[in-house]
Amino acid sequence: MIAMTVVTGILIVISFLFDREKTIAGIKKGWMQFMKILPTLLSVIIIISVVLHFISNEVLMDYLGAKAGWGAYLSAAILGSISILPGFIAYPLSGILVHSGVSLSVIAVFITTLKMVGILTIPIEKKYFGLKTAIIRNTLSFFGAIIVGGIMAFIYYLI
Amino acid sequence: MKQYLMKYKFDYAIITAFTIFVAGSFYFHFNPGVQIFKDNFRMFLKEMIFVLPVMFIIIGLFDVWISKEKVQKHIGENSGIKGILLVMLLAFLQSGPLYAAFPVAFLLKEKGCSSVNIFIYLSAFTMAKIPMLTFEIGFLGLNFSLLRLVLSVPVFILIGFVMGKYFDKNKCEIKNI
């Protein structure tokens, strides 16, 4: 992230040296777009914050741990599809879960659905792509993630 | 102004309700409310405030500097495997949540990127950003990451093709909001 900010800073300087007006116009354009998406983003973040509060690590263990058996895969897929966790939270959390006894294959399903499917962000996706496309893309991604997670689970099962 | 408020009425209703809820929670020392704000909301807000403005500035600069012809030539229709590799590379180098990729998708489409490549870009963006991979390898191991990547690439290229064809066939478009 820091790298990206630095690169952006350098790009702005270079761009500014070549053409002042173009640079300002570009930044303005980007900023306007950001302001337009801001209200929707904020409300989505609020909903996610509230929902996340009710899902504690213990609850996660109940549904994803060895006790849950095959149900763990289903829970992982559903949890992954609904939640959107930034990577810097999701990976440490997965690490903790693995240490507390959740199998890597369950984590594989969780991570792949988490990344590819975003049910809670459909309100944002819908604004750009339309509801139908957003739903189709998420559904396809869900099955894609299940396939990837499933094959990984199978490989982990073999070794 | 009225039109603007109507467009975002649900969003502002949620934001207002949440603001009152958090303010009330702090005032009355209602713990769950304070926690929701401190543990969850702040974390997401941080991610958003740091990542998104940067993304949008890049988008703006890209918009004024890169011509339609260039985009069309490299990642437009008939750009083939090279086009696919290019959009994937573009996606891998970025960071941020998926919703940060939508405005980029809009701009790429506007400039003439093919629909198939747009959806490959989106999937690639979700699956394999390099900054996040370092995290993944750190916590779950190199084997896990490699396995996931190798399996994911064909899956998301396939999804990209299906979505792209569907998108063109139904004459869908990406709206700027």
Side-chain angles (χ1 to χ4, degrees):
Chain A
M1 189 49 229
I2 297 165
M4 203 168 103
T5 315
V6 173
V7 171
T8 311
I10 295 170
L11 281 179
I12 292 176
V13 172
I14 295 173
S15 169
F16 201 79
L17 289 177
F18 273 97
D19 191 328
R20 237 178 127 143
E21 267 150 42
K22 248 186 176 177
T23 308
I24 293 170
I27 293 177
K28 242 189 197 160
K29 259 187 182 169
W31 186 252
M32 286 301 289
Q33 282 200 46
F34 174 62
M35 292 314 281
K36 273 191 200 156
I37 192 74
L38 198 59
T40 313
L41 265 178
L42 276 176
S43 57
V44 169
I45 295 182
I46 288 170
I47 292 168
I48 296 165
S49 306
V50 174
V51 171
L52 261 187
H53 179 74
F54 295 100
I55 306 174
S56 64
N57 285 3
E58 292 78 45
V59 175
L60 282 180
M61 274 313 292
D62 281 349
Y63 284 97
L64 301 176
K67 269 189 299 179
W70 283 101
Y73 291 98
L74 186 68
S75 315
I78 294 171
L79 268 177
S81 310
I82 296 174
S83 44
I84 54 155
L85 290 174
F88 58 85
I89 301 291
Y91 289 120
L93 174 68
S94 303
I96 293 169
L97 289 174
V98 170
H99 280 296
S100 20
V102 175
S103 66
L104 266 178
S105 42
V106 172
I107 293 295
V109 174
F110 174 66
I111 290 283
T112 42
T113 44
L114 178 71
K115 303 221 125 193
M116 291 177 79
V117 190
I119 292 177
L120 284 179
T121 47
I122 283 184
I124 302 174
E125 191 168 347
K126 181 184 87 178
K127 292 206 165 183
Y128 287 97
F129 289 90
L131 184 61
K132 209 173 153 198
T133 310
I135 289 177
I136 296 176
R137 195 196 68 80
N138 277 285
T139 312
L140 278 181
S141 297
F142 179 78
F143 288 112
I146 295 282
I147 292 170
V148 172
I151 297 175
M152 283 181 77
F154 186 65
I155 292 172
Y156 276 114
Y157 175 77
L158 288 182
I159 51 177
Chain B
M1 188 65 198
K2 203 178 166 196
Q3 210 182 359
Y4 173 83
L5 281 178
M6 281 309 285
K7 200 172 153 193
Y8 295 111
K9 61 177 184 255
F10 291 115
D11 299 327
Y12 279 114
I14 292 173
I15 294 170
T16 313
F18 185 70
T19 312
I20 295 170
F21 170 68
V22 168
S25 298
F26 271 92
Y27 188 75
F28 294 109
H29 300 288
F30 178 61
N31 244 342
V34 175
Q35 266 176 9
I36 286 174
F37 179 77
K38 277 194 173 161
D39 297 347
N40 300 339
F41 181 73
R42 249 194 351 205
M43 159 186 102
F44 287 118
L45 193 71
K46 238 193 228 160
E47 184 188 50
M48 195 181 89
I49 293 298
F50 284 120
V51 177
L52 282 180
V54 174
M55 286 286 290
F56 276 107
I57 287 174
I58 294 180
I59 291 170
L61 288 178
F62 183 90
D63 196 8
V64 292
W65 282 109
I66 314 279
S67 71
K68 210 169 170 166
E69 292 73 36
K70 263 194 200 133
V71 174
Q72 240 160 12
K73 194 176 136 212
H74 292 292
I75 54 177
E77 306 289 342
N78 312 319
S79 56
I81 298 214
K82 205 187 86 192
I84 293 177
L85 289 178
L86 266 176
V87 282
M88 276 167 56
L89 185 70
L90 180 65
F92 290 167
L93 291 176
Q94 286 171 323
S95 62
L98 177 60
Y99 51 69
F102 298 141
V104 181
F106 166 77
L107 184 71
L108 288 177
K109 189 87 186 91
E110 196 77 337
K111 296 265 183 188
C113 176
S114 73
S115 301
V116 168
N117 282 347
I118 291 281
F119 285 100
I120 291 178
Y121 166 78
L122 282 182
S123 294
F125 190 92
T126 59
M127 289 307 282
K129 286 162 297 179
I130 288 168
M132 276 301 118
L133 278 181
T134 55
F135 256 89
E136 181 171 346
I137 294 168
F139 282 99
L140 296 172
L142 184 62
N143 288 343
F144 183 91
S145 284
L146 280 180
L147 189 59
R148 196 177 65 76
L149 268 185
V150 168
L151 292 171
S152 301
V153 171
V155 169
F156 66 59
I157 289 178
L158 186 69
I159 291 177
F161 269 94
V162 174
M163 284 307 298
K165 297 285 179 230
Y166 159 82
F167 206 68
D168 287 339
K169 212 179 127 205
N170 291 280
K171 300 197 169 52
C172 301
E173 48 188 34
I174 307 177
K175 284 180 295 262
N176 190 11
I177 54 159

PDB file of all heavy atoms in Angstrom, chain A residues 111-118 137-138 140-142 144-145 148, chain B residues 98 123 126-127 152 155-156 159:
ATOM      1  N   ILE A 111     -10.991 -18.754   1.996  1.00  0.00           N
ATOM      2  CA  ILE A 111     -10.213 -17.688   1.342  1.00  0.00           C
ATOM      3  C   ILE A 111     -10.692 -17.454  -0.088  1.00  0.00           C
ATOM      4  O   ILE A 111     -10.855 -16.321  -0.525  1.00  0.00           O
ATOM      5  CB  ILE A 111      -8.698 -18.025   1.346  1.00  0.00           C
ATOM      6  CG1 ILE A 111      -8.142 -17.936   2.781  1.00  0.00           C
ATOM      7  CG2 ILE A 111      -7.927 -17.096   0.434  1.00  0.00           C
ATOM      8  CD1 ILE A 111      -7.909 -16.538   3.293  1.00  0.00           C
ATOM      9  N   THR A 112     -10.928 -18.547  -0.829  1.00  0.00           N
ATOM     10  CA  THR A 112     -11.318 -18.349  -2.229  1.00  0.00           C
ATOM     11  C   THR A 112     -12.697 -17.692  -2.339  1.00  0.00           C
ATOM     12  O   THR A 112     -12.880 -16.783  -3.154  1.00  0.00           O
ATOM     13  CB  THR A 112     -11.313 -19.665  -3.032  1.00  0.00           C
ATOM     14  OG1 THR A 112     -11.892 -20.686  -2.239  1.00  0.00           O
ATOM     15  CG2 THR A 112      -9.930 -20.059  -3.430  1.00  0.00           C
ATOM     16  N   THR A 113     -13.662 -18.124  -1.524  1.00  0.00           N
ATOM     17  CA  THR A 113     -14.972 -17.463  -1.606  1.00  0.00           C
ATOM     18  C   THR A 113     -14.867 -16.032  -1.084  1.00  0.00           C
ATOM     19  O   THR A 113     -15.464 -15.121  -1.650  1.00  0.00           O
ATOM     20  CB  THR A 113     -16.055 -18.209  -0.789  1.00  0.00           C
ATOM     21  OG1 THR A 113     -15.522 -18.575   0.469  1.00  0.00           O
ATOM     22  CG2 THR A 113     -16.555 -19.422  -1.522  1.00  0.00           C
ATOM     23  N   LEU A 114     -14.098 -15.859  -0.037  1.00  0.00           N
ATOM     24  CA  LEU A 114     -13.930 -14.519   0.528  1.00  0.00           C
ATOM     25  C   LEU A 114     -13.450 -13.540  -0.540  1.00  0.00           C
ATOM     26  O   LEU A 114     -13.927 -12.423  -0.656  1.00  0.00           O
ATOM     27  CB  LEU A 114     -12.916 -14.578   1.669  1.00  0.00           C
ATOM     28  CG  LEU A 114     -12.583 -13.257   2.355  1.00  0.00           C
ATOM     29  CD1 LEU A 114     -13.758 -12.791   3.180  1.00  0.00           C
ATOM     30  CD2 LEU A 114     -11.359 -13.391   3.230  1.00  0.00           C
ATOM     31  N   LYS A 115     -12.504 -14.018  -1.350  1.00  0.00           N
ATOM     32  CA  LYS A 115     -11.903 -13.116  -2.322  1.00  0.00           C
ATOM     33  C   LYS A 115     -12.784 -12.925  -3.543  1.00  0.00           C
ATOM     34  O   LYS A 115     -12.904 -11.835  -4.069  1.00  0.00           O
ATOM     35  CB  LYS A 115     -10.557 -13.673  -2.779  1.00  0.00           C
ATOM     36  CG  LYS A 115      -9.624 -13.909  -1.645  1.00  0.00           C
ATOM     37  CD  LYS A 115      -8.263 -13.501  -2.015  1.00  0.00           C
ATOM     38  CE  LYS A 115      -7.756 -12.512  -1.013  1.00  0.00           C
ATOM     39  NZ  LYS A 115      -6.570 -11.846  -1.447  1.00  0.00           N
ATOM     40  N   MET A 116     -13.400 -13.993  -4.013  1.00  0.00           N
ATOM     41  CA  MET A 116     -14.080 -13.897  -5.309  1.00  0.00           C
ATOM     42  C   MET A 116     -15.527 -13.461  -5.210  1.00  0.00           C
ATOM     43  O   MET A 116     -16.082 -12.934  -6.160  1.00  0.00           O
ATOM     44  CB  MET A 116     -13.998 -15.239  -6.041  1.00  0.00           C
ATOM     45  CG  MET A 116     -12.589 -15.559  -6.495  1.00  0.00           C
ATOM     46  SD  MET A 116     -12.457 -17.170  -7.280  1.00  0.00           S
ATOM     47  CE  MET A 116     -13.070 -16.844  -8.916  1.00  0.00           C
ATOM     48  N   VAL A 117     -16.174 -13.721  -4.080  1.00  0.00           N
ATOM     49  CA  VAL A 117     -17.594 -13.417  -3.974  1.00  0.00           C
ATOM     50  C   VAL A 117     -17.808 -12.316  -2.947  1.00  0.00           C
ATOM     51  O   VAL A 117     -17.245 -12.362  -1.862  1.00  0.00           O
ATOM     52  CB  VAL A 117     -18.391 -14.666  -3.540  1.00  0.00           C
ATOM     53  CG1 VAL A 117     -19.881 -14.424  -3.659  1.00  0.00           C
ATOM     54  CG2 VAL A 117     -17.976 -15.867  -4.369  1.00  0.00           C
ATOM     55  N   GLY A 118     -18.604 -11.336  -3.295  1.00  0.00           N
ATOM     56  CA  GLY A 118     -18.883 -10.268  -2.343  1.00  0.00           C
ATOM     57  C   GLY A 118     -20.357  -9.915  -2.307  1.00  0.00           C
ATOM     58  O   GLY A 118     -20.813  -8.999  -2.983  1.00  0.00           O
ATOM     59  N   ARG A 137     -22.238 -12.529 -11.977  1.00  0.00           N
ATOM     60  CA  ARG A 137     -20.793 -12.598 -11.739  1.00  0.00           C
ATOM     61  C   ARG A 137     -20.483 -13.216 -10.380  1.00  0.00           C
ATOM     62  O   ARG A 137     -19.609 -14.062 -10.245  1.00  0.00           O
ATOM     63  CB  ARG A 137     -20.165 -11.203 -11.819  1.00  0.00           C
ATOM     64  CG  ARG A 137     -18.644 -11.227 -11.953  1.00  0.00           C
ATOM     65  CD  ARG A 137     -18.016  -9.899 -11.637  1.00  0.00           C
ATOM     66  NE  ARG A 137     -18.152  -9.565 -10.227  1.00  0.00           N
ATOM     67  CZ  ARG A 137     -17.373 -10.062  -9.266  1.00  0.00           C
ATOM     68  NH1 ARG A 137     -16.400 -10.887  -9.563  1.00  0.00           N
ATOM     69  NH2 ARG A 137     -17.567  -9.727  -8.008  1.00  0.00           N
ATOM     70  N   ASN A 138     -21.260 -12.814  -9.376  1.00  0.00           N
ATOM     71  CA  ASN A 138     -21.020 -13.362  -8.047  1.00  0.00           C
ATOM     72  C   ASN A 138     -21.365 -14.845  -7.963  1.00  0.00           C
ATOM     73  O   ASN A 138     -20.685 -15.608  -7.284  1.00  0.00           O
ATOM     74  CB  ASN A 138     -21.792 -12.572  -6.988  1.00  0.00           C
ATOM     75  CG  ASN A 138     -21.051 -11.321  -6.572  1.00  0.00           C
ATOM     76  OD1 ASN A 138     -20.079 -11.376  -5.851  1.00  0.00           O
ATOM     77  ND2 ASN A 138     -21.488 -10.179  -7.091  1.00  0.00           N
ATOM     78  N   LEU A 140     -21.296 -17.038 -10.510  1.00  0.00           N
ATOM     79  CA  LEU A 140     -20.223 -17.771 -11.208  1.00  0.00           C
ATOM     80  C   LEU A 140     -18.971 -17.842 -10.342  1.00  0.00           C
ATOM     81  O   LEU A 140     -18.332 -18.886 -10.235  1.00  0.00           O
ATOM     82  CB  LEU A 140     -19.884 -17.070 -12.527  1.00  0.00           C
ATOM     83  CG  LEU A 140     -20.772 -17.372 -13.726  1.00  0.00           C
ATOM     84  CD1 LEU A 140     -20.271 -16.600 -14.932  1.00  0.00           C
ATOM     85  CD2 LEU A 140     -20.748 -18.867 -14.025  1.00  0.00           C
ATOM     86  N   SER A 141     -18.644 -16.712  -9.717  1.00  0.00           N
ATOM     87  CA  SER A 141     -17.448 -16.675  -8.880  1.00  0.00           C
ATOM     88  C   SER A 141     -17.590 -17.625  -7.699  1.00  0.00           C
ATOM     89  O   SER A 141     -16.620 -18.243  -7.272  1.00  0.00           O
ATOM     90  CB  SER A 141     -17.194 -15.262  -8.366  1.00  0.00           C
ATOM     91  OG  SER A 141     -16.956 -14.402  -9.430  1.00  0.00           O
ATOM     92  N   PHE A 142     -18.813 -17.724  -7.178  1.00  0.00           N
ATOM     93  CA  PHE A 142     -19.049 -18.632  -6.065  1.00  0.00           C
ATOM     94  C   PHE A 142     -18.697 -20.059  -6.471  1.00  0.00           C
ATOM     95  O   PHE A 142     -17.942 -20.751  -5.786  1.00  0.00           O
ATOM     96  CB  PHE A 142     -20.512 -18.547  -5.613  1.00  0.00           C
ATOM     97  CG  PHE A 142     -20.854 -19.465  -4.469  1.00  0.00           C
ATOM     98  CD1 PHE A 142     -20.505 -19.131  -3.169  1.00  0.00           C
ATOM     99  CD2 PHE A 142     -21.510 -20.666  -4.701  1.00  0.00           C
ATOM    100  CE1 PHE A 142     -20.809 -19.965  -2.115  1.00  0.00           C
ATOM    101  CE2 PHE A 142     -21.824 -21.517  -3.644  1.00  0.00           C
ATOM    102  CZ  PHE A 142     -21.470 -21.165  -2.350  1.00  0.00           C
ATOM    103  N   GLY A 144     -16.871 -20.952  -9.016  1.00  0.00           N
ATOM    104  CA  GLY A 144     -15.440 -20.966  -9.307  1.00  0.00           C
ATOM    105  C   GLY A 144     -14.632 -21.176  -8.031  1.00  0.00           C
ATOM    106  O   GLY A 144     -13.723 -22.002  -7.978  1.00  0.00           O
ATOM    107  N   ALA A 145     -15.018 -20.414  -7.005  1.00  0.00           N
ATOM    108  CA  ALA A 145     -14.305 -20.510  -5.729  1.00  0.00           C
ATOM    109  C   ALA A 145     -14.480 -21.886  -5.106  1.00  0.00           C
ATOM    110  O   ALA A 145     -13.541 -22.447  -4.533  1.00  0.00           O
ATOM    111  CB  ALA A 145     -14.811 -19.436  -4.769  1.00  0.00           C
ATOM    112  N   VAL A 148     -12.138 -24.243  -6.979  1.00  0.00           N
ATOM    113  CA  VAL A 148     -10.740 -24.055  -6.547  1.00  0.00           C
ATOM    114  C   VAL A 148     -10.553 -24.599  -5.121  1.00  0.00           C
ATOM    115  O   VAL A 148      -9.653 -25.400  -4.850  1.00  0.00           O
ATOM    116  CB  VAL A 148     -10.336 -22.565  -6.593  1.00  0.00           C
ATOM    117  CG1 VAL A 148      -8.962 -22.365  -5.963  1.00  0.00           C
ATOM    118  CG2 VAL A 148     -10.330 -22.067  -8.027  1.00  0.00           C
TER     119      VAL A 148
ATOM    120  N   LEU B  98     -12.237  -5.101  -3.618  1.00  0.00           N
ATOM    121  CA  LEU B  98     -12.817  -5.281  -4.950  1.00  0.00           C
ATOM    122  C   LEU B  98     -13.549  -4.037  -5.440  1.00  0.00           C
ATOM    123  O   LEU B  98     -13.466  -3.676  -6.610  1.00  0.00           O
ATOM    124  CB  LEU B  98     -13.768  -6.488  -4.945  1.00  0.00           C
ATOM    125  CG  LEU B  98     -14.513  -6.762  -6.254  1.00  0.00           C
ATOM    126  CD1 LEU B  98     -13.545  -7.030  -7.383  1.00  0.00           C
ATOM    127  CD2 LEU B  98     -15.457  -7.943  -6.109  1.00  0.00           C
ATOM    128  N   SER B 123     -11.736 -10.533 -11.891  1.00  0.00           N
ATOM    129  CA  SER B 123     -11.437 -11.769 -11.167  1.00  0.00           C
ATOM    130  C   SER B 123      -9.990 -11.806 -10.708  1.00  0.00           C
ATOM    131  O   SER B 123      -9.694 -12.201  -9.581  1.00  0.00           O
ATOM    132  CB  SER B 123     -11.721 -12.986 -12.047  1.00  0.00           C
ATOM    133  OG  SER B 123     -13.094 -13.073 -12.299  1.00  0.00           O
ATOM    134  N   THR B 126      -9.471  -9.830  -7.669  1.00  0.00           N
ATOM    135  CA  THR B 126      -9.902 -10.429  -6.412  1.00  0.00           C
ATOM    136  C   THR B 126      -8.953 -11.520  -5.945  1.00  0.00           C
ATOM    137  O   THR B 126      -8.810 -11.740  -4.753  1.00  0.00           O
ATOM    138  CB  THR B 126     -11.308 -11.068  -6.519  1.00  0.00           C
ATOM    139  OG1 THR B 126     -11.278 -12.073  -7.523  1.00  0.00           O
ATOM    140  CG2 THR B 126     -12.346 -10.040  -6.851  1.00  0.00           C
ATOM    141  N   MET B 127      -8.323 -12.195  -6.883  1.00  0.00           N
ATOM    142  CA  MET B 127      -7.611 -13.414  -6.514  1.00  0.00           C
ATOM    143  C   MET B 127      -6.143 -13.248  -6.156  1.00  0.00           C
ATOM    144  O   MET B 127      -5.628 -14.005  -5.351  1.00  0.00           O
ATOM    145  CB  MET B 127      -7.703 -14.441  -7.649  1.00  0.00           C
ATOM    146  CG  MET B 127      -9.062 -15.030  -7.818  1.00  0.00           C
ATOM    147  SD  MET B 127      -9.680 -15.692  -6.274  1.00  0.00           S
ATOM    148  CE  MET B 127      -8.795 -17.232  -6.182  1.00  0.00           C
ATOM    149  N   SER B 152      -6.513 -21.114  -9.548  1.00  0.00           N
ATOM    150  CA  SER B 152      -7.434 -20.001  -9.777  1.00  0.00           C
ATOM    151  C   SER B 152      -7.357 -19.418 -11.179  1.00  0.00           C
ATOM    152  O   SER B 152      -8.372 -19.057 -11.766  1.00  0.00           O
ATOM    153  CB  SER B 152      -7.162 -18.863  -8.791  1.00  0.00           C
ATOM    154  OG  SER B 152      -7.293 -19.309  -7.484  1.00  0.00           O
ATOM    155  N   VAL B 155      -9.586 -20.881 -13.761  1.00  0.00           N
ATOM    156  CA  VAL B 155     -10.983 -20.673 -13.381  1.00  0.00           C
ATOM    157  C   VAL B 155     -11.416 -19.247 -13.688  1.00  0.00           C
ATOM    158  O   VAL B 155     -12.458 -19.005 -14.274  1.00  0.00           O
ATOM    159  CB  VAL B 155     -11.211 -21.002 -11.885  1.00  0.00           C
ATOM    160  CG1 VAL B 155     -12.573 -20.533 -11.437  1.00  0.00           C
ATOM    161  CG2 VAL B 155     -11.068 -22.492 -11.641  1.00  0.00           C
ATOM    162  N   PHE B 156     -10.566 -18.276 -13.331  1.00  0.00           N
ATOM    163  CA  PHE B 156     -11.067 -16.921 -13.571  1.00  0.00           C
ATOM    164  C   PHE B 156     -10.963 -16.475 -15.028  1.00  0.00           C
ATOM    165  O   PHE B 156     -11.713 -15.613 -15.451  1.00  0.00           O
ATOM    166  CB  PHE B 156     -10.584 -15.886 -12.549  1.00  0.00           C
ATOM    167  CG  PHE B 156      -9.130 -15.539 -12.494  1.00  0.00           C
ATOM    168  CD1 PHE B 156      -8.473 -15.018 -13.587  1.00  0.00           C
ATOM    169  CD2 PHE B 156      -8.459 -15.666 -11.287  1.00  0.00           C
ATOM    170  CE1 PHE B 156      -7.154 -14.641 -13.497  1.00  0.00           C
ATOM    171  CE2 PHE B 156      -7.127 -15.287 -11.193  1.00  0.00           C
ATOM    172  CZ  PHE B 156      -6.479 -14.786 -12.310  1.00  0.00           C
ATOM    173  N   ILE B 159     -14.269 -17.777 -16.258  1.00  0.00           N
ATOM    174  CA  ILE B 159     -15.353 -16.891 -15.812  1.00  0.00           C
ATOM    175  C   ILE B 159     -15.341 -15.598 -16.635  1.00  0.00           C
ATOM    176  O   ILE B 159     -16.387 -15.106 -17.066  1.00  0.00           O
ATOM    177  CB  ILE B 159     -15.217 -16.557 -14.305  1.00  0.00           C
ATOM    178  CG1 ILE B 159     -15.495 -17.809 -13.460  1.00  0.00           C
ATOM    179  CG2 ILE B 159     -16.183 -15.445 -13.897  1.00  0.00           C
ATOM    180  CD1 ILE B 159     -15.322 -17.608 -11.973  1.00  0.00           C
TER     181      ILE B 159
END
